[in-house]
Amino acid sequence: MIRQRTLKSVVKATGVGLHGGRKVTLTLRPAAPDTGIVFHRVDLDPPLTLPADPYAVCDTRMCSGLEQGGHKVGTVEHLMSALAGLGIDNLHVDVDAPEIPILDGSSAPFVFLLQSAGIEEQKAAKKFLRVKKAVEYVEGDKWVRLEPYDGFRLAFSIVFNHPAIDSTSTRVEVDFARHSYVRDVARARTFGFMQDVEFMQANGLALGGSLENAIVMDEYRVLNAEGLRYADEFVKHKVLDAIGDLYLCGHPLLASYSAHKAGHALNNQILRVLLEDKEAWELVSFDQEAATPPAVSHQFAPLAAALA
């Protein structure tokens, strides 16, 4: 059986919110089977609970956030990406600010936190959302598509007309039948342009942004002294974001995702298009090894292999 997963113990981290620039404490707690990923704003009285839900998504211009009753938890995509990458189905996420800390701008610190807490399998079958027919969302020259596939594969292409980005690979395909989330995706950082950061900070946005938590470029080059972590780090980060955005549907996908110039907004829209077509998807579990697609067995291998 491919089983659900949660954490063995509670783990905490403190960091800075990318947009508000304030200190944030994050606590990750184990949850029972079939709980899903549930965020809690513990700084509010009473605390506000926001389950992962594509219909609660807000603030898709600069991040993916969840909103309920005028209160938000922003910048959830990097944590959600790490949870998807490690196969965590059930978790309580306590946060004492309106956003998840940005940490280093990638999912790698969240992977470290989750591995430090320990991951355990639960006595319940993992539920996959299997795409049964192709769906697409188009907005001008941007598009995103989900198609049937017995595994999880993502293909992404970007166009920025910037020398630092154009000198790298601007298209990538990641197939978890053969790639590792931890090795091949998790360390890709968010990125931005110095002139945009300066403008946003002058207008009270991205107050926590720095060279410590993003790749920053001027008109010609990357300003970070250490350079890039991957030769294709820019487009890899778009894949990282997409994995997190898509996991807001509440289940790991069995699908082939492809996108061009897409972002948080289009990732959310394709989930809504999919979910609103009842013939386009189904929930499935794999109780017997013989019935499990090989790509799924590889992606959700025994924990020792999955965390390598």
Side-chain angles (χ1 to χ4, degrees), residues 221-255:
R221 61 193 173 93
V222 170
L223 299 179
N224 305 66
E226 72 276 21
L228 299 179
R229 295 175 174 178
Y230 301 109
D232 53 0
E233 188 169 0
F234 298 107
V235 70
K236 275 274 183 73
H237 185 78
K238 302 293 284 186
V239 167
L240 183 155
D241 276 346
I243 292 169
D245 290 340
L246 295 173
Y247 200 42
L248 286 166
C249 74
H251 302 281
L253 287 176
L254 296 180

Side-chain angles (χ1 to χ4, degrees), residues 77 80-82 84-85 152 154 174 176 181 185 238-248 267:
E77 63 273 12
M80 290 298 297
S81 186
F152 188 35
L154 302 98
V174 175
F176 291 109
Y181 177 85
V185 177
K238 302 293 284 186
V239 167
L240 183 155
D241 276 346
I243 292 169
D245 290 340
L246 295 173
Y247 200 42
L248 286 166
N267 290 335

